[in-house]
Amino acid sequence: MWIDTHCHLDAAEFNADRDAVVARARAAGVTQIVIPAVDAHNLDTVRLLAIQHDFTYALGIHPLCVMGAAAGDLEKLAEAVETHHADPRLVAVGEIGLDYFVEGIDPDTQQHFYIEQLKLAKRAGLPVLLHVRRSADKLLAGLRRVGFTQGGIAHAFNGSEQQAQAFIELGFKLGFGGTLTFERSLQIRRIAASVPDTALVMETDAPDIPPQWLYKTAEQREASPGQTRNESAELPRIGESLAELRGWTLEQTAAITSANARAALPRLG
């Protein structure tokens, strides 16, 4: 059985058929999904979805959302984490982190939100779901600066082998998803093949990061908008790529990555 450690089930792309999306995931063998918040406006949404569908959730403010955040949003997040701290479905603070790929997001603002949310997670004794995009070194520096020891998941990991090892040494698992399915993703596939067995977790980042069989070129997307949506039901097929890279059976891949997810996020049980 599979655990999707990162799926934005609350996204608008799922509004028309969310129940069917969940049913397809379960039919494919995905027994648990972690639904991360991205801003102060969807903290309740992800929690209620997790309750409705018997999944789990994380609370946080995404780095791509910090420029639109209100002055009191960190306080709202802290209040939500405190209010729901005893909820076993709350497995992490996230999605938080840094993004130096998208232009127009003030780096100082990103750093402020990242560090404050790390401090919040440290106080709450919760792991974190980290957004890593051209930011691994600064994320690692922040973890060391705060003295963060609860670990978590470096979501959609795309750094170097040295950065991967640094995250692992700080108690983090590395999240792998649709990017694994592209033969040209040489570095990511090499890291997925070489890190310790205990370092790997599976994710979709649905509706984003579609695997190779769902990917469309820019021209195809323009001609058929809305046809590239990823979903949790794709996770076992994505897992086949990891199985091939590691020399595992599909059953081993599901068992190992699910055990790693539970180690990273102890409230998964």
Side-chain angles (χ1 to χ4, degrees):
M1 309 305 270
W2 299 86
I3 296 176
D4 185 349
T5 60
H6 205 106
C7 170
H8 296 281
L9 189 61
D10 62 307
E13 288 90 337
F14 297 123
N15 285 350
D17 63 342
R18 189 170 285 109
D19 288 348
V21 168
V22 171
R24 283 193 291 272
R26 288 208 164 98
V30 179
T31 58
Q32 184 56 264
I33 293 173
V34 181
I35 313 169
V38 296
D39 62 35
H41 302 294
N42 76 335
L43 300 177
D44 276 338
T45 303
V46 299
R47 181 179 64 85
L48 293 173
L49 274 176
I51 293 170
Q52 178 183 352
H53 295 289
D54 197 21
F55 292 145
T56 56
Y57 65 99
L59 299 177
I61 300 174
H62 193 290
L64 297 185
C65 297
V66 300
M67 299 307 292
D73 281 359
L74 282 169
E75 287 76 11
K76 287 181 181 178
L77 173 62
E79 289 173 5
V81 170
E82 181 178 359
T83 298
H84 303 295
H85 188 269
D87 183 358
R89 297 182 191 277
L90 174 59
V91 297
V93 170
E95 179 179 358
I96 71 172
L98 301 169
D99 191 308
Y100 296 138
F101 177 77
V102 177
E103 297 181 357
I105 306 174
D106 178 61
D108 291 338
T109 302
Q110 287 197 65
Q111 275 284 349
H112 172 69
F113 274 81
Y114 172 52
I115 294 298
E116 290 306 309
Q117 291 183 96
L118 278 185
K119 292 177 180 176
L120 170 61
K122 183 178 180 179
R123 291 194 302 270
L126 290 170
V128 291
L129 304 180
L130 289 183
H131 179 93
V132 187
R133 193 149 64 157
R134 296 187 180 175
S135 57
D137 287 340
K138 290 190 180 298
L139 288 170
L140 289 162
L143 293 169
R144 296 184 181 109
R145 170 182 162 188
V146 172
F148 190 79
T149 58
Q150 282 97 250
I153 297 172
H155 152 61
F157 184 77
N158 57 11
S160 69
E161 294 177 55
Q162 292 79 10
Q163 290 164 338
Q165 184 58 38
F167 276 111
I168 293 167
E169 289 174 356
L170 288 175
F172 280 77
K173 311 299 183 186
L174 310 179
F176 293 94
T179 310
L180 275 183
T181 66
F182 292 86
E183 291 185 358
R184 292 185 179 181
S185 299
L186 297 178
Q187 178 166 290
I188 291 174
R189 287 168 63 85
R190 182 168 58 249
I191 291 171
S194 62
V195 295
D197 291 1
T198 54
L200 299 143
V201 298
M202 295 296 301
E203 59 175 53
T204 59
D205 198 28
D208 299 321
I209 314 187
Q212 183 274 328
W213 52 89
L214 294 180
Y215 179 77
K216 301 290 189 296
T217 65
E219 293 78 11
Q220 289 170 325
R221 290 196 297 272
E222 185 175 346
S224 302
Q227 298 302 307
T228 61
R229 184 185 75 175
N230 191 13
E231 58 181 75
S232 287
E234 303 294 340
L235 193 68
R237 190 173 173 190
I238 295 170
E240 291 177 7
S241 294
L242 182 60
E244 291 172 4
L245 289 168
R246 303 289 302 196
W248 294 340
T249 66
L250 200 56
E251 292 75 15
Q252 284 177 308
T253 306
I256 291 169
T257 58
S258 294
N260 293 343
R262 294 186 183 97
L265 309 174
R267 290 186 174 194
L268 285 176

